[in-house]
Each structure stands twice: as structure tokens, then as C-alpha cells.
Amino acid sequence: VQNFLFVLDGIGISPYDADKIGKKVPFDSEEANVVYAVNEKDIAEGLNRGLLNYPGWRYKGENLVLPWVTMETEADQNG
């Protein structure tokens, strides 16, 4: 796996936001599927929070794949 990631990096493809994996990230509803990939049906108007599951990927500064976020449920927020 490390060699594969080294090859990707060598051709300009690299992960980003990997340091946030497993952490809760806040984002505005207008940033959904622009900054973070999320399930549209889980988005509420305004401020949202979710758990970052996978990093995003960039090619020479251009986003190829957005970081994937799983939305919190009300039970997650209250407990």
C-alpha cells in the first residue's frame, strides 16, 4: 500500500484532510458536496456536523474526490 501511495504522489495525486479522519467536522449546508462529500438526504439547512471517514484526493491542486463525511444523528449529538 505504501508503494502504491508513493506512486500516486509521484504523479501528483495526494490525499488531503487525512489528519481529520475519525474526527467531527462542522460545515454549512451550502458546503455539502462542495467541501465534503455527504449523503444529500442527511443534510439540514444551516450548520451541520459529521464524522470524517475518508480523506479527499487531489491531483496537482484540483480536487478529484472529496473527503467523505457521515452525518451525526440526533442521538450522536445528544450523547
Side-chain angles (χ1 to χ4, degrees):
V1 173
Q2 286 181 333
N3 287 339
F4 179 68
L5 294 175
F6 180 74
V7 169
L8 288 177
D9 190 53
I11 59 174
I13 299 174
S14 58
Y16 68 97
D17 280 355
D19 58 326
K20 296 179 184 176
I21 293 174
K23 296 181 182 174
K24 294 178 182 177
V25 292
F27 61 94
D28 189 84
S29 57
E30 293 183 14
E31 296 174 329
N33 295 315
V34 175
V35 176
Y36 296 108
V38 295
N39 190 339
E40 272 301 318
K41 69 178 180 67
D42 295 335
I43 301 300
E45 191 65 33
L47 186 62
N48 289 267
R49 259 174 46 150
L51 186 68
L52 188 77
N53 292 303
Y54 303 104
W57 290 87
R58 287 188 175 133
Y59 175 68
K60 296 184 179 180
E62 294 290 323
N63 292 346
L64 294 175
V65 178
L66 295 174
W68 179 256
V69 172
T70 303
M71 298 303 298
E72 289 185 325
T73 64
E74 283 191 35
D76 294 335
Q77 293 174 3
N78 295 327

